[in-house]
Amino acid sequence: MNMNKNKVHDDIIRDLLPLYIDKVCSKETEALVKAHLEASESLREELDKMQADLQIPREEGESNRKDVEAMKEISRFWNRSKWRAFLKGAVISGLACGVLLLGYVGLFRWNIIPVPSNVIAISDVSRLENGKIAYHIALTDGYESNFSKFEMADDGNVYIVPYRPIIKTKAKVKIAVSYYSAMNEMDYFYKEKYGEDREMEALYYGKPEDSILVWKKGMEVPAAGDKVEAWFNPQ
């Protein structure tokens, strides 16, 4: 009978062991469990085993927590690296596009190369009925030029310089540039720069060091024909 009674007591103590381990039982229960543990080797062994089983999940939990934190840190680093890589790629792509655009403009659109005088043809220099001097300009090499600028010198010379990009564009027609022009505009700009008391002495096409004469003061100029008059005074 005592054996059964002791067994019952051991079963009750065994049920109380988790509370005893977690320290959530009352002081009276704690003292009772301690007394039974001192008297029962089997209960002490069971307590040790139970504590060992509980320790492993705690250690695993701590390890898992550290693993989760490590993964979070890796994720944060990856996101930062990803954004840095994205921004770096965007900047590099923008710079590359800018360089390509500048290169395209510089090669195909930026008119910086003066047209040489050996492909400039001046003809039909004549005087219109209104007294203006007219002339015909053509570029004979088959490449386009849609940009020109004036260069004026103190000696009265005016130079009209046609320009092209580095990479020339083939004209759609045989003569890329072919038109009549009158000198009144150049004379106006010259007087505007140097004063009304100054007169233009000569007009050239091309750079000063590589130019072709169109007209100069004192040059005999024939009267314009009907074709030239019709160009400037269409009916």
Side-chain angles (χ1 to χ4, degrees):
M1 185 70 179
N2 284 336
M3 290 182 60
N4 290 336
K5 188 174 183 180
N6 289 338
K7 184 177 184 305
V8 170
H9 287 169
D10 287 349
D11 289 341
I12 293 172
I13 296 302
R14 190 174 289 107
D15 292 338
L16 294 173
L17 286 179
L19 301 176
Y20 175 79
I21 292 171
D22 290 337
K23 301 183 184 304
V24 294
C25 57
S26 65
K27 290 182 178 180
E28 291 79 5
T29 301
E30 183 179 353
L32 178 65
V33 172
K34 281 183 177 180
H36 277 77
L37 288 172
E38 290 174 358
S40 174
E41 183 178 353
S42 62
L43 283 175
R44 290 196 300 273
E45 291 177 353
E46 190 158 351
L47 175 65
D48 292 340
K49 182 178 181 301
M50 192 175 293
Q51 287 178 328
D53 291 342
L54 290 173
Q55 184 66 26
I56 291 173
R58 287 195 186 100
E59 292 175 351
E60 289 179 349
E62 180 67 19
S63 176
N64 290 337
R65 187 183 66 78
K66 291 180 179 178
D67 289 343
V68 169
E69 289 299 322
M71 292 299 295
K72 287 181 178 179
E73 183 61 30
I74 292 172
S75 177
R76 287 192 290 268
F77 175 78
W78 167 254
N79 288 332
R80 291 195 299 269
S81 300
K82 184 169 64 176
W83 274 108
R84 283 198 295 266
F86 172 78
L87 292 174
K88 183 178 179 181
V91 170
I92 292 174
S93 298
L95 290 174
C97 290
V99 169
L100 290 175
L101 179 61
L102 288 175
Y104 173 79
V105 172
L107 292 174
F108 294 93
R109 290 290 182 267
W110 192 14
N111 296 287
I112 58 174
I113 305 299
V115 177
S117 62
N118 62 350
V119 301
I120 299 174
I122 303 296
S123 60
D124 290 343
V125 180
S126 55
R127 188 181 300 277
L128 299 171
E129 290 181 354
N130 59 14
K132 296 177 182 179
I133 304 296
Y135 59 94
H136 182 264
I137 169 72
L139 301 184
T140 61
D141 61 352
Y143 290 98
E144 292 183 353
S145 173
N146 54 12
F147 175 77
S148 298
K149 69 177 183 179
F150 300 139
E151 293 186 17
M152 302 181 187
D154 293 341
D155 58 5
N157 292 339
V158 176
Y159 301 87
I160 300 177
V161 187
Y163 284 87
R164 288 170 170 162
I166 295 174
I167 297 180
K168 300 178 292 186
T169 302
K170 199 73 175 178
K172 297 178 181 179
V173 294
K174 186 175 180 180
I175 302 298
V177 174
S178 177
Y179 63 89
Y180 285 95
S181 183
M183 286 174 38
N184 60 311
E185 289 184 0
M186 279 66 77
D187 188 54
Y188 169 80
F189 290 128
Y190 191 83
K191 289 180 179 296
E192 187 178 58
K193 181 176 181 179
Y194 291 102
E196 289 294 331
D197 59 333
R198 298 286 299 276
E199 292 184 352
M200 186 175 68
E201 299 292 330
L203 175 65
Y204 294 86
Y205 247 86
K207 297 287 289 183
E209 64 274 13
D210 179 33
S211 58
I212 181 171
L213 177 67
V214 178
W215 168 91
K216 69 178 180 178
K217 195 173 182 179
M219 187 174 79
E220 292 187 9
V221 179
D226 293 340
K227 178 182 176 181
V228 178
E229 289 286 354
W231 176 276
F232 290 96
N233 300 289
Q235 299 298 322

